[in-house]
Each structure stands twice: as structure tokens, then as C-alpha cells.
Amino acid sequence: MKKLLLLLFSLLVSFNSYAEELKSLFGITLYDNAEKYVSSNYIDSNKYKNLETIEGYFDLTITDKIKTKSPYASYYKITIDKDNEVHDIYGREIIANLEICQEIAKNLVSQSEEKYQINFEYWEKTYPSFKKYQHYYSTSSMDFGIQCRKSHESTSVRLQIFLNTVLLNQAVDDFYNSGL
């Protein structure tokens, strides 16, 4: 019995530590300095204020700079703080319609759950200009998401894949809750 309990405990610890190792996406690692991936001149010339935070975060399009591309994304960006620390790694693809996007997302979720030994949760949320259909996995340091984002004003649907820090996630929540 002790051996069985020890084996089960070992499996749980290995699953949890393996999932905690999920800190990179598209060849970029959270909390790294962005200068590891692009020059400081590129950062200074191309960063722009993140639209979903009140202050302190900047987006940087890196589509032409990214080395590890995905067949599920043709546009890439990172979100950095004032010290150029990476807080979000993001890739997206425009998909023909919501049904196709959700089918692709479902397949990506299944592959990710198997690869990383994690379990996604699902939620939907409506915002003033779009609705999210999101699968997500969270730890104490990061959120990993695969979602379809449907615009209310157009027929566009985005398949979005992201990995972000809880610090950025809190700043985004603060932005959306600020007008209440």
C-alpha cells in the first residue's frame, strides 16, 4: 500500500511540475528580457501602449522577427513592461467563421492537454465590441489560453493562442473593471 501511495504521489508531483514548466510559446519565454529576441532599437522604435491595460505595458509586433512559427498563427506580438520584461506571448490567425475556429481550438486544446499533461477550463464572456470563447489553464504564475474572438461589428473571427503572466492578467482585469 505504501508503494502504491508513493507511486501516486510521485505521478502527481511530476504532472504538476511538468505543467509548471509551461513558460514558453513560439520560442519566447515569459519574464525574459525582450532584448533576448529583438534589439533594443527595435523595441524603442516599435513598442506601443497596450490597449487593454491602464498603464505600464506595451505591445510589440514581432511577426517578422519570430523564429518559431506555428501553422495556427500568422501574426505574433509580445507584451512587455517598462523594463522590457515579457509578460505576454501571443499569436493569432483570422478564421473564416466561428464554427471552424471552435473546431480548430478544440483540437489545439486536446493536443496541448496531452503534451503538457494539463486540463483546460472553458468560459465565454461578452465585451462591448467582441465575445470570447476561451479555453484556459492557469497556474500561480501564468495563464495559457486558446480562444476564438468574435467581433460584434464584423464577421471576423480570430483564433488566438497566448501565454501571459498573472501580473498582466490582473492589469487587464483592472482595465475592464475600471469603468464600473
Side-chain angles (χ1 to χ4, degrees):
M1 183 69 173
K2 283 185 181 181
K3 287 183 181 181
L4 179 61
L5 288 173
L6 184 58
L7 177 63
L8 288 173
F9 178 74
S10 297
L11 284 172
L12 286 173
V13 168
S14 68
F15 284 154
N16 286 338
S17 53
Y18 190 69
E20 286 290 336
E21 291 176 10
L22 177 60
K23 294 179 182 170
S24 318
L25 190 61
F26 312 128
I28 298 173
T29 302
L30 290 178
Y31 296 107
D32 273 357
N33 189 303
E35 292 175 36
K36 183 175 177 181
Y37 308 102
V38 295
S39 72
S40 60
N41 287 338
Y42 182 82
I43 294 168
D44 293 339
S45 300
N46 293 284
K47 70 181 180 181
Y48 51 97
K49 186 195 174 311
N50 178 278
L51 297 176
E52 291 186 304
T53 58
I54 296 169
E55 63 183 349
Y57 292 96
F58 305 91
D59 289 336
L60 183 65
T61 302
I62 57 168
T63 301
D64 296 335
K65 305 289 185 188
I66 195 146
K67 293 179 174 61
T68 307
K69 299 202 180 214
S70 166
Y72 300 101
S74 60
Y75 171 85
Y76 301 87
K77 75 173 177 70
I78 56 175
T79 302
I80 57 176
D81 64 15
K82 63 181 176 31
D83 297 321
N84 294 337
E85 189 173 86
V86 176
H87 285 270
D88 181 54
I89 307 151
Y90 170 90
R92 79 163 186 239
E93 185 65 52
I94 303 300
I95 304 296
N97 62 54
L98 183 59
E99 292 75 27
I100 292 172
C101 186
Q102 288 178 317
E103 187 173 327
I104 293 168
K106 182 179 169 184
N107 289 334
L108 288 172
V109 164
S110 177
Q111 291 170 9
S112 297
E113 285 180 334
E114 185 175 323
K115 179 178 180 178
Y116 297 112
Q117 298 298 303
I118 60 177
N119 292 309
F120 282 89
E121 294 186 41
Y122 179 79
W123 65 273
E124 297 177 12
K125 187 165 183 177
T126 302
Y127 294 91
S129 61
F130 61 90
K131 183 170 182 176
K132 281 189 202 181
Y133 304 83
Q134 182 172 316
H135 300 269
Y136 70 96
Y137 173 77
S138 296
T139 69
S140 60
S141 63
M142 65 84 192
D143 291 325
F144 177 37
I146 298 170
Q147 71 184 21
C148 295
R149 181 180 179 261
K150 172 82 173 88
S151 171
H152 298 314
E153 286 112 30
S154 71
T155 59
S156 69
V157 179
R158 293 182 189 173
L159 172 66
Q160 300 176 309
I161 305 165
F162 62 88
L163 184 65
N164 62 30
T165 66
V166 294
L167 296 172
L168 178 63
N169 198 31
Q170 183 59 53
V172 170
D173 286 345
D174 292 345
F175 172 79
Y176 281 104
N177 293 330
S178 67
L180 297 178

